[in-house]
Amino acid sequence: PCPVQVISALQSKHHYGEGEARAICDKVQAKLLKECHDPAKMCITDLRISHWEEAIQETIGGEGERHCYYLWKTTRLQHLTLAEDTREMLTELRKRVRLLLLTNGDRQTQREKIEACACQPYFDAIVVGGEQKEEKPAPSIFHYCCDLLGVQPAECVMVGDSLDTDIQGGLNAGLKATVWLNKAMTTLVDTSPVPHYIISSVLDLPAVLQKMEHNINAKLGTDHMASSNE
């Protein structure tokens, strides 16, 4: 959602009504969702300034200002934080497993978000899709991440909230398991791809990993018994 500071600025500085201000922000959000960015043709800043200019023109027909974009960007980054319980979970997990943050998107935009939420200390490595030849769900970027961590794909678990990029990508790359973060607890009906595990909160992840480990140990025990009986 558009930060309240941006709504207020559009009303006070640019004298738009509250309805107009919210309509402009809604249009910008829609443009962000459909955004196709080619770094070779235009920098991300110019592209997003154009979103605001177009949204203002489409709503009230006037000229947009760069100020709107920079205010939106600043307030957006200020609100990016890692919750305390999430930081504690990552700290504990990292004692047992290697952690890598993988995100699609433009290099500049994603690096700014990463810096704003100060999440670097909680991961062994961070990979931004815009810096690679291919992004999720291409297998190549997942294999690159595995190489960075020094693990095989069959030893790696992908956790993400996107079925199309995170889960499908993990399956494409032949990872050990995929865990879908489904905050809305949307019911899957004949949906592809199908994740191995589903959680409603990232804080449920340690329990899922423990269950995964238990299942593997149980299978190894069964296989050992089968081979002993042969």
Side-chain angles (χ1 to χ4, degrees), residues 209-221:
L209 294 177
Q210 194 170 19
K211 180 180 178 182
M212 214 179 290
E213 193 173 340
H214 173 77
N215 291 344
I216 290 170
N217 289 338
K219 185 179 185 304
L220 288 173

Side-chain angles (χ1 to χ4, degrees), residues 53 56 91 158:
E53 291 175 337
I56 290 172
T91 300
M158 178 65 193

Side-chain angles (χ1 to χ4, degrees), residues 188-199:
L188 287 178
V189 181
D190 298 327
T191 301
S192 180
V194 178
H196 295 88
Y197 299 89
I198 301 176
I199 54 178

